[in-house]
């Protein structure tokens, strides 16, 4: 199962691009380690409330996504934790 979220509401391009959030768009390791330290009961990163809002973007990630949105339908892609 894959979760894909559109980055724009009116997808109109002939091509689509799917971008992984973890380790591609955002640094997840540091956020996970901090959450794990604060909440030792957390097993999966995606189960922590607010974890996605606190992810820090990789260098140039925002600018690259903005460019991709101009040339293709852009989606965030992630596999749910099991």
């Amino acid at each position: 199962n894959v979760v894909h979220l559109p980055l724009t509401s009116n997808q109109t391009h002939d091509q689509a691009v799917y971008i992984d959030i973890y380790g591609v768009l955002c640094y997840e390791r540091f956020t996970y380690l901090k959450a794990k330290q604060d909440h030792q009961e957390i097993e999966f990163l995606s189960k922590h409330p607010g974890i996605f809002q606190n992810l820090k973007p990789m260098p140039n990630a925002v600018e690259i996504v903005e460019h991709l949105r101009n040339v293709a339908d852009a989606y965030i892609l992630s596999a749910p934790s099991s």
Side-chain angles (χ1 to χ4, degrees), residues 1 8 10 18 21 34 41 45 56-57 60 63 66 69 71 76 79:
N1 293 338
T8 59
N10 54 345
Y18 292 84
I21 193 168
K34 175 73 172 129
E41 72 281 3
L45 177 66
K56 304 290 184 230
N60 301 317
E63 294 83 4
E66 287 298 322
R69 290 176 60 201
V71 298
I76 301 267

Side-chain angles (χ1 to χ4, degrees), residues 46-81:
S46 61
K47 305 281 186 202
H48 180 51
I51 196 76
F52 297 108
Q53 291 87 352
N54 296 322
L55 292 175
K56 304 290 184 230
M58 296 286 247
N60 301 317
V62 174
E63 294 83 4
I64 291 168
V65 169
E66 287 298 322
H67 171 73
L68 288 172
R69 290 176 60 201
N70 290 324
V71 298
D73 296 343
Y75 297 89
I76 301 267
L77 178 75
S78 188
S81 301

Side-chain angles (χ1 to χ4, degrees), residues 22-36:
Y22 295 122
V24 176
L25 286 181
C26 300
Y27 292 105
E28 84 284 359
R29 187 77 178 138
F30 303 114
T31 303
Y32 176 77
L33 292 174
K34 175 73 172 129
K36 191 71 171 166

